[in-house]
Amino acid sequence: DAGVIQSPRHEVTEMGQEVTLRCKPISGHNSLFWYRQTMMRGLELLIYFNNNVPIDDSGMPEDRFSAKMPNASFSTLKIQPSEPRDSAVYFCASSFGELAGMNTEAFFGQGTRLTVV
Amino acid sequence: QQPVQSPQAVILREGEDAVINCSSSKALYSVHWYRQKHGEAPVFLMILLKGGEQKGHDKISASFNEKKQQSSLYLTASQLSYSGTYFCGTEILGALKTSYDKVIFGPGTSLSVIP
């Protein structure tokens, strides 16, 4: 398997624009996680899905952020409108476990470095 | 709910040992350890479940003291390849005692191994 695939790897956008980050989890994994990493806040869990269903989105900072998982092989994280403080590296991770959550090894994608100017 | 890690940073010479600590203010179901090299994604090292187990991964091992709500990562005879930021992630013990929940990562410990 190619691992967790994220696109784009880098994104530079102007404030106010819509940004969509994409993630393809490892085939067969049933949990998917979106994390945001900054120097100030470290690795923050934004939302996670189990069997394509959002389980916990309490980490989503504002209504400007939304995430979807229409099927087992694809997820998106959308920011609309984007702001400079959204600049960060966004990681997607997937895992397989009997129950919801990261109870087994999670595999991270290479991340999307987002810069909002 | 974010766990506390110590030290924040450590510099070692090759062959030296190090200990990274992770503590929580809440009862834990599990502790997860990941290493992230600069510019790369975090990579899984190990998971420790409640029960006070100890695990090993090459010359890297960890312990979990659920009573103290702490975990420690031990790196022995460090190698240059051990350099990176080490994150512990903690999963709070749920009301059902066996329920899994989200993993919250600590701020990380930067480890640099020099020749």
Side-chain angles (χ1 to χ4, degrees):
Chain A
D1 203 315
V4 176
I5 300 173
Q6 291 186 245
S7 64
R9 290 293 309 276
H10 301 273
E11 177 81 36
V12 179
T13 190
E14 292 186 346
M15 183 174 63
Q17 295 298 306
E18 176 181 298
V19 176
T20 299
L21 311 181
R22 298 172 174 79
C23 175
K24 176 178 167 53
I26 291 174
S27 177
H29 282 189
N30 58 355
S31 289
L32 183 141
F33 312 86
W34 282 101
Y35 282 90
R36 177 173 68 177
Q37 186 174 38
T38 60
M39 287 295 292
M40 291 295 294
R41 294 176 173 266
L43 264 173
E44 298 176 275
L45 177 64
L46 300 178
I47 184 172
Y48 80 89
F49 297 83
N50 183 252
N51 293 325
N52 311 338
V53 176
I55 303 299
D56 188 328
D57 65 354
S58 59
M60 296 286 261
E62 299 170 36
D63 290 346
R64 299 184 296 106
F65 285 69
S66 62
K68 293 182 180 179
M69 191 164 186
N71 57 62
S73 59
F74 184 65
S75 177
T76 59
L77 179 68
K78 184 181 293 186
I79 308 172
Q80 164 64 18
S82 58
E83 296 183 4
R85 59 193 167 123
D86 301 331
S87 297
V89 179
Y90 290 81
F91 287 104
C92 173
S94 70
S95 70
F96 175 78
E98 292 182 350
L99 299 174
M102 191 188 288
N103 51 83
T104 58
E105 175 180 1
F107 294 82
F108 282 75
Q110 288 303 300
T112 294
R113 181 173 295 277
L114 174 66
T115 304
V116 183
V117 298
Chain B
Q1 285 188 354
Q2 185 183 47
V4 176
Q5 287 186 237
S6 63
Q8 280 187 309
V10 59
I11 300 175
L12 300 172
R13 291 200 177 276
E14 266 187 298
E16 291 183 338
D17 302 340
V19 180
I20 299 172
N21 299 303
C22 174
S23 63
S24 171
S25 59
K26 295 186 180 292
L28 300 175
Y29 183 85
S30 66
V31 179
H32 305 224
W33 286 98
Y34 284 76
R35 176 172 63 204
Q36 183 180 31
K37 293 184 180 289
H38 183 68
E40 299 181 6
V43 174
F44 173 82
L45 292 177
M46 64 191 80
I47 291 176
L48 299 100
L49 302 179
K50 70 181 183 71
E53 65 178 274
Q54 185 153 353
K55 275 192 173 181
H57 176 79
D58 195 8
K59 292 182 180 177
I60 301 175
S61 62
S63 63
F64 176 24
N65 186 323
E66 59 184 287
K67 287 186 178 178
K68 292 185 177 180
Q69 296 162 191
Q70 294 176 347
S71 176
S72 294
L73 186 72
Y74 307 94
L75 299 100
T76 57
S78 58
Q79 305 168 17
L80 295 176
S81 62
Y82 286 2
S83 293
T85 300
Y86 289 77
F87 293 95
C88 76
T90 53
E91 183 185 4
I92 304 301
L93 190 62
L96 295 177
K97 302 297 183 187
T98 58
S99 62
Y100 294 113
D101 202 346
K102 57 190 175 186
V103 172
I104 306 297
F105 285 100
T109 295
S110 174
L111 185 137
S112 300
V113 182
I114 58 177

